[in-house]
Structure formats: structure tokens, C-alpha cells
Amino acid sequence: MKAIIHTGYGAPDLLKLREIATPSPKAGEIQIKVHATAVSSGDARMRRADPWIMKLIFGWKHLRSQVQGFVFSGVVSAVGEGVTKFAVGDEIYGTTGMRFGAHAEYLVLPADGVIAPKPTGISHEEAAAVPFGGNTALYFLRQAGIASGQRVLIYGGSGAIGTAAVQIAKYFGAHVTTVSSGRNANLMRSLGADEVIDYTVEDFANRGVRYDVILDTVGKADFGKAIASLTPNGRFALAAAGLGGTIKAVLNKRAIAGVMKETADDLAFFNDLIEAGKFKAVIDRSYPLEDIAEAHAHVDTGHKVGNVVIRVT
């Protein structure tokens, strides 16, 4: 099968298209024919080893699991012994977690992993654009205690996590303010944002508004200003914290950082929202698998809007 191999940490051109053996499912596993995947900011950071301490965990010279990719949408192509949850031909989507492997034509995962039936009425490309931003935003908003009637600030509203967070916060009944560039203001409002702050002309902290939840989706919000802009019981969630931000969060009880946790139930949550017309994945660009280096380069600019999707089949 064709797969994208991570040959070393650094530039996108270190990702190479190769022919490798097609994996077969063992007992309790399913084989998935991948139709679509995505390149997220998480994939790009993993490719670069940002922060460098990732090398101690995932491999010093290159990723031990050389096929990257966290998210997928596809069709079950084979099942291992004992699998009853899914059958050959089922359309599914989900995430691989730290097993990676989605940037390939086939993928093998445990049947009890973070996998769900693909929502009806959307394409595989649209489905692949849901789990990274959606699950991340949902996790951190829940950790911050999202509730109806709150004032919520989404810092970096136009990325994969941000576009999901705006819709999720609105679903929970919050008054949503986003920080993004002015050129994305109409998109933010179309997703449910009540207010949009253009960071190129205004600092959110200068408004004197206090928020119950501030979610930084891009790792660029000033930590001190964010904490000072919270209500007495407010929480600051860092969904894209680097090493420095994580340490600050550990030392401040009003801040939340760390590794996001996700379950198949989270995907079921999005299935319900999507099929009710209350959530949509935003796609910036779509690339064929062989052009994945170009997709990474676009993500590296930091100016993508929503998700960058990869067409595999």
C-alpha cells in the first residue's frame, strides 16, 4: 500500500511517499481502507518535534511509528477474530491516538478505539475534518466547565480547534467572542460567534471584559492577560500549549493544559450535532496523498482556516 513515511524531524520535504506492507487485523482489530485524513497543527508539530522533548517519547531521529496521521474516515475492509462491533463495508471515522498511521491507504486499529459510524449526509473528507479540532475543543471546554449563560472567549477562532470551539460553545448556550483576523470575521459569525475581535487592531484584554472561559487554541494568548481577564471562578484552557505554557498552567490553579483525552462517545456527540445541522467541519484546502508535503507547508504558515484535508482514496 502507499503511505507517507516520516524520515526525520524538520521540513515537510522529509515526508516521503513509499510502498509498504498492508497491515492485517489481529483478534479484536479492524482494517480500514482510508478514504480521507487530515494534516493538523498537531501533525505539523509532531513532524518538527516541537517541543524537542517529543523526541524522547516518540523517537530520537524520526518517529518510531513512521506513518503519521491522527484522523481518518473510511470503510471497514477486514475484521479480526471476535469483532462484532463493526462489519466489512461499514463507513466509519475516528482517531488513531498515539498509534498514528492514518496517512496511508490502509490502517489497523482496535475495534474498541475512538471510532464511530460516519455521520450520514457528509463526505469522507468532511468527516475526517471533525475529530482533531472537534474532540480537542470539546475536551478543553468541558475541562473548563462550559455552561449556558457564560461568556466564552475563543482565542484563535479560525483554525481547526477554533472553528469547532465556536460551534460547541454556542451549542452549550454561551455568549461567544472570538479573536481572529478581520478577514475571518464573517466566517466566525456564520459559525455562531456573537462578537469578533480582530487581533491585528485590538488587544482583547483592553476591553475590560471578564470571561468565564478563555480557550487558547493556537498557543499565542498572553498568559498573564488571559488570567487577568477571567471572572473570579473563570478558567483559562490552553489547547495548544508548548512546554512553557504547560508549566505555567501546572503552577496556576485557574489554568488548564496537558494531553487531550477522547472517546468514541465524543464522536457520537458530534454525530448527533452534525445530523441535527448544529455542527459543520470547516475545510480550507484538500490535497491528494502524494502532495502531503505541500499540505504540511500550508499548515506551517499558521494561516489556514479550519482544516487541511488529505484525499487518500
Side-chain angles (χ1 to χ4, degrees), residues 12-307:
D13 60 8
L14 289 170
L15 298 170
K16 303 297 183 182
L17 183 67
R18 297 280 190 265
E19 285 281 349
I20 64 173
T22 301
S24 298
K26 299 176 183 177
E29 296 181 333
I30 59 173
Q31 182 194 69
I32 303 149
K33 184 174 178 60
V34 180
H35 283 237
T37 179
V39 174
S40 67
S41 57
D43 290 303
R45 291 177 66 179
M46 189 67 67
R47 187 202 77 235
R48 299 191 303 264
D50 175 22
W52 66 267
I53 199 168
M54 286 182 177
K55 293 183 178 182
L56 300 178
I57 303 169
F58 299 108
W60 187 251
K61 292 184 178 180
H62 56 69
L63 292 173
R64 281 187 286 272
S65 300
Q66 284 187 275
V67 181
Q68 277 190 273
F70 294 102
V71 300
F72 67 89
S73 181
V75 176
V76 177
S77 48
V79 298
E81 182 181 354
V83 173
T84 58
K85 186 176 182 180
F86 298 107
V88 172
D90 287 351
E91 292 191 320
I92 59 173
Y93 79 126
T95 68
T96 67
M98 292 304 144
R99 294 171 68 103
F100 308 109
H103 293 168
E105 291 182 305
Y106 289 89
L107 169 68
V108 165
L109 290 174
D112 61 356
V114 185
I115 304 169
K118 182 177 75 66
T120 58
I122 67 172
S123 67
H124 284 291
E125 290 181 45
E126 291 170 314
V130 172
F132 172 74
N135 286 350
T136 304
L138 181 62
Y139 173 79
F140 282 101
L141 286 173
R142 282 174 168 169
Q143 290 294 107
I146 183 75
S148 179
Q150 291 180 331
R151 296 190 71 93
V152 175
L153 177 78
I154 309 298
Y155 195 100
S158 59
I161 303 172
T163 52
V166 171
Q167 297 176 82
I168 295 167
K170 200 64 186 174
Y171 168 77
F172 279 113
H175 179 282
V176 182
T177 301
T178 68
V179 177
S180 64
S181 66
R183 65 187 175 90
N184 294 320
N186 288 339
L187 171 64
M188 295 294 93
R189 293 190 180 96
S190 75
L191 296 176
D194 298 288
E195 300 179 60
V196 182
I197 299 173
D198 184 348
Y199 71 88
T200 66
V201 297
E202 182 181 3
D203 188 333
F204 78 92
N206 292 338
R207 286 196 168 190
V209 178
R210 296 292 178 264
Y211 300 93
D212 300 291
V213 176
I214 297 177
L215 172 62
D216 180 7
T217 73
V218 290
K220 294 183 179 179
D222 183 278
F223 191 94
K225 290 180 179 179
I227 294 295
S229 298
L230 293 172
T231 58
N233 295 316
R235 304 297 298 276
F236 176 35
L238 295 84
L243 185 59
T246 301
I247 292 172
K248 288 180 180 178
V250 169
L251 298 175
N252 191 309
K253 64 181 181 180
R254 306 188 70 190
I256 302 163
V259 179
M260 178 267 292
K261 298 179 179 64
E262 56 189 348
T263 69
D265 287 341
D266 297 331
L267 294 178
F269 170 87
F270 286 105
N271 281 23
D272 291 342
L273 262 61
I274 291 167
E275 292 171 6
K278 296 180 179 180
F279 184 91
K280 64 178 181 180
V282 176
I283 297 176
D284 184 345
R285 298 184 185 182
S286 177
Y287 297 85
L289 182 65
E290 58 267 26
D291 290 342
I292 202 166
E294 185 178 344
H296 269 261
H298 179 54
V299 172
D300 282 352
T301 67
H303 298 301
K304 70 178 178 65
V305 177
N307 298 268

